[in-house]
Amino acid sequence: MASDAPASGSLADRVSQPEKTEAVGENGQSDGAVPQQGGSDLQEPEYTVEVKLSDLQDDPNNPLFSVKNFEDLGLDPRILQGLSAMNFRKPSKIQERALPLLMGNPAKNLVGQSQSGTGKTAAFVLNVLSRLDLSNEQLQKTPQALILAPTRELARQIVGVIQVMGQFLDGLNIGTAVPADSNARPTRLEASVVVGTPGTVMDMIKKRIMVPAKLKVIVLDEADNMLDQQGLGDQCIRVKALLPRDIQVVLFSATFPAHVHQYASKFAPNANELTLQHEELTVEGIKQLYLDCENEEHKYKTLVNLYGLLTVGSSIIFVKTRASAVEIEKRMVAEGHTVASLTGGIEGSQRDSIIDKFRAGEAKVLITTNVLARGIDVSTVSMVINYDIPEVYQQGNRQRQADFQTYLHRIGRTGRFGRVGVSISFVSNREEWEMLTQIQSYFNTDIQRIDTNDWDEVEDIIKKTIKNTRAQSNFGR
C-alpha cells in the first residue's frame, strides 16, 4: 500500500511553484439525496442524529419518535406500493427521524440536515404525497405542493422520484417549472405537485400561469445553497412571500454553515430540527485519495492514465471552469476516449440529453463544474475526481481557501446510500496542497497519497477499494 500523506514540508519540496489560476467560471450547483435502492441489508454509518423537537418533547413516549417501518406512519397503501417498487424496505436513519416530524398534524416546519445519499429526497417526497388531496379532477390540477431546487438537473431528478413513488396514486399530476429553451410555456400550470427552480416559479406565479393559493407545503432541496447563493436566496424569499402564510416549510440539505442556519431558522420559523455536526459529515464508505502532479499538463496526463479505471463503473470529473471542461473533453475525445461534459453554459434540453446518457451508461465519464456537485444521484458512479480542488473565491485574499461544503457534496456523488466509492484529488502546487490540508483538518480525516510513479500500485489500490463491500477507512471520526 502507498504511504500515508507526508507532512506539508516534504510535499512542498516535490510540487511545482504555484501557478496563476483563472477566475472561476460559475457557481451553479445542485442537490437531493435520491437512493435508487433501499433495504434491510444497508450498512449505514453509525452516526447520531441530534434532534431538536418542539412538539414531541412534551410526550417522550410518543410511538412515532423512532419509526422502524414505513407502515407505522399510516401511509396510504398506494404510496407503500410505490416504496416497494423502489425497493425501499425500511426507513433510513434520517427518514426514521424526519418522517414523524414532517407528517404530524397540524403540519410543522422542519430544517433537516443529513449527509449525502441517505434518503432525504424520499423523506420529503413521502410527506408531499401524503398531504395531497386528489379526490376530484379540479384538485388534481391545483398546485398543492411546491418543491424548489437550484438546477434543472436536480428538479428533473426529483420529478423522477415522485413519478416512481407516486405511480399508484390516481390523479397525481406533476408539473415542472424550469427555464425553457424557447418561449413555449403553458398558459396555466395544472398539476398537484410542482417542481422547479426559484426564478422560473416566481415568474410563473407573477404571470398567473401557476396559482399558489392552495399550496400546503414548500420544500427547499439543498437549502443551504438555495438560501446562500447569490440571486437564489432573494428569489426564494420572493417566492415565499407569494405563498399562503400557513404553508408548511421544509428545508433539507447535507450541510448548513452557521450563518445560513441562522437565516434558515427565520425562513422556516418554529421549525423542528435534525442536525449533524460537520465533523461527522465526511461520507463513510468513500475512500479519499490524492495524487501529486507536477503541473497542469501532468494533471491531464494523469487523468488519461486513469481512464481505464474511470470506466469500471461511472465517474465524474470536477473542474474549476467551463473552459476547462470543454478543453479536457476536446482533448480526450481527440485521443479516442469517450467522455461528455456538462456545464451551466449549455442549453437546457442539451443538458437533459447529456445527463440522461450518463444515467443510461452510454457515457461513463462526465466532466463538469460545480453545477453537478450537489444531489445528482447516479447509482453506478464509483469514482469522483477533483481535477481542481474546490475553493472559495474571496477578492483581495491572497491565501486560497478550500470550499469545504463543495468538497463534501462533490465526493458525495459516489458512495451513495451505503455503496462504496473512491474520490481522488489532484494536487499540482503548494497552494493546492494547503487547501487539501485545510479539508483534512476541517473534517478531521486523512486523505491518503498514492504514488503516480507506480501505476500498477495505483490501479491495485483503486480496484481493491471499488471491489470492497465497504471502504475500510473510518473517515470523519
Side-chain angles (χ1 to χ4, degrees):
M1 294 291 289
S3 60
D4 288 341
S8 59
S10 59
L11 179 68
D13 294 335
R14 293 198 310 279
V15 300
S16 60
Q17 290 300 309
E19 299 173 345
K20 288 184 180 178
T21 55
E22 56 180 319
V24 67
E26 72 188 60
N27 287 323
Q29 298 180 344
S30 100
D31 179 88
V34 188
Q36 295 302 314
Q37 59 181 29
S40 55
D41 56 343
L42 287 177
Q43 296 171 293
E44 289 195 61
E46 289 298 319
Y47 52 78
T48 301
V49 181
E50 292 180 17
V51 187
K52 176 186 166 190
L53 305 171
S54 58
D55 59 345
L56 295 186
Q57 279 176 335
D58 296 331
D59 183 11
N61 297 315
N62 190 304
L64 290 180
F65 177 78
S66 183
V67 175
K68 299 298 181 186
N69 298 289
F70 288 117
E71 288 80 2
D72 295 341
L73 288 162
L75 291 168
D76 186 309
R78 296 170 299 174
I79 297 176
L80 289 173
Q81 255 186 296
L83 287 169
S84 179
M86 296 178 79
N87 202 23
F88 276 55
R89 295 184 182 87
K90 71 172 189 174
S92 69
K93 186 69 72 176
I94 188 67
Q95 292 162 1
E96 175 185 312
R97 299 297 174 86
L99 287 169
L101 305 179
L102 277 171
M103 296 174 63
N105 283 308
K108 293 213 62 173
N109 297 342
L110 178 74
V111 177
Q113 174 197 14
S114 179
Q115 67 192 46
S116 293
T118 53
K120 294 187 293 295
T121 303
F124 68 67
V125 169
L126 268 177
N127 177 57
V128 161
L129 293 179
S130 297
R131 295 197 179 280
L132 299 179
D133 181 352
L134 305 174
S135 56
N136 63 56
E137 190 177 347
Q138 184 57 46
L139 287 170
Q140 292 164 11
K141 295 179 179 179
T142 302
Q144 298 176 50
L146 173 62
I147 301 171
L148 295 179
T151 66
R152 67 182 294 121
E153 282 77 24
L154 182 55
R156 290 180 75 235
Q157 180 171 287
I158 294 167
V159 167
V161 176
I162 299 170
Q163 285 171 336
V164 177
M165 198 179 290
Q167 64 183 291
F168 301 104
L169 286 173
D170 296 329
L172 174 64
N173 292 311
I174 308 163
T176 54
V178 297
D181 292 342
S182 65
N183 294 322
R185 265 194 195 164
T187 53
R188 178 63 64 94
L189 189 60
E190 297 183 331
S192 37
V193 180
V194 178
V195 185
T197 50
T200 304
V201 168
M202 185 172 64
D203 186 51
M204 284 187 167
I205 292 174
K206 285 186 172 179
K207 291 178 178 174
R208 303 297 291 170
I209 295 171
M210 175 182 165
V211 180
K214 301 293 184 183
L215 284 174
K216 302 174 185 176
V217 55
I218 178 174
V219 179
L220 265 63
D221 196 6
E222 203 49 37
D224 70 326
N225 178 242
M226 295 281 277
L227 295 177
D228 192 36
Q229 187 174 314
Q230 188 176 8
L232 283 183
D234 288 341
Q235 289 172 353
C236 288
I237 294 168
R238 288 177 189 149
V239 168
K240 193 188 171 201
L242 300 170
L243 308 183
R245 287 183 177 275
D246 60 350
I247 196 168
Q248 181 188 29
V249 182
V250 179
L251 309 179
F252 263 117
S253 183
T255 51
F256 271 113
H259 69 286
V260 181
H261 185 268
Q262 288 178 341
Y263 184 66
S265 299
K266 294 176 182 175
F267 195 87
N270 304 315
N272 287 317
E273 294 187 24
L274 299 174
T275 59
L276 281 172
Q277 298 305 309
H278 78 258
E279 291 85 358
E280 299 172 86
L281 281 171
T282 305
V283 183
E284 286 201 11
I286 299 177
K287 186 81 166 177
Q288 298 171 82
L289 310 167
Y290 78 90
L291 295 173
D292 282 345
C293 302
E294 295 169 12
N295 49 43
E296 285 296 314
E297 182 59 25
H298 189 217
K299 267 191 188 181
Y300 175 75
K301 289 178 179 174
T302 301
L303 184 64
V304 171
N305 284 336
L306 277 172
Y307 182 81
L309 293 170
L310 293 173
T311 54
V312 170
S314 297
S315 303
I316 301 178
I317 301 162
F318 285 104
V319 298
K320 191 186 318 181
T321 65
R322 296 175 182 179
S324 298
V326 171
E327 180 63 23
I328 292 169
E329 179 191 24
K330 196 181 294 181
R331 286 184 67 177
M332 291 190 79
V333 168
E335 292 176 30
H337 302 299
T338 305
V339 298
S341 71
L342 190 152
T343 68
I346 298 171
E347 277 289 324
S349 61
Q350 194 181 344
R351 281 168 68 169
D352 295 347
S353 174
I354 292 167
I355 196 73
D356 289 346
K357 284 179 181 175
F358 185 60
R359 286 189 190 283
E362 292 174 34
K364 288 197 165 189
V365 179
L366 186 65
I367 305 164
T368 186
T369 50
N370 286 337
V371 72
L372 287 191
R374 292 168 175 255
I376 296 303
D377 179 48
V378 178
S379 62
T380 55
V381 173
S382 56
M383 197 182 313
V384 166
I385 304 288
N386 287 305
Y387 191 89
D388 297 305
I389 304 288
E391 61 184 292
V392 177
Y393 290 87
Q394 300 169 318
Q395 203 167 4
N397 191 341
R398 296 181 68 181
Q399 183 184 10
R400 292 166 70 182
Q401 173 64 49
D403 186 338
F404 307 122
Q405 314 304 336
T406 297
Y407 176 83
L408 180 66
H409 284 288
R410 280 184 179 184
I411 72 170
R413 296 315 98 218
T414 185
R416 308 287 292 174
F417 212 58
R419 296 189 288 268
V420 72
V422 176
S423 80
I424 303 176
S425 298
F426 288 5
V427 175
S428 67
N429 57 50
R430 192 188 310 268
E431 289 176 309
E432 290 176 351
W433 162 251
E434 287 170 352
M435 287 194 291
L436 195 70
T437 303
Q438 293 167 13
I439 289 167
Q440 291 183 92
S441 175
Y442 184 83
F443 291 114
N444 190 28
T445 189
D446 292 318
I447 301 176
Q448 181 188 340
R449 174 179 175 263
I450 47 179
D451 191 348
T452 53
N453 291 323
D454 187 347
W455 276 100
D456 288 339
E457 184 177 24
V458 172
E459 290 194 16
D460 188 51
I461 290 170
I462 295 171
K463 280 181 179 175
K464 278 183 179 175
T465 304
I466 293 173
K467 285 178 182 176
N468 281 350
T469 54
R470 294 287 291 172
Q472 296 304 309
S473 297
N474 191 20
F475 296 120
R477 287 286 180 264

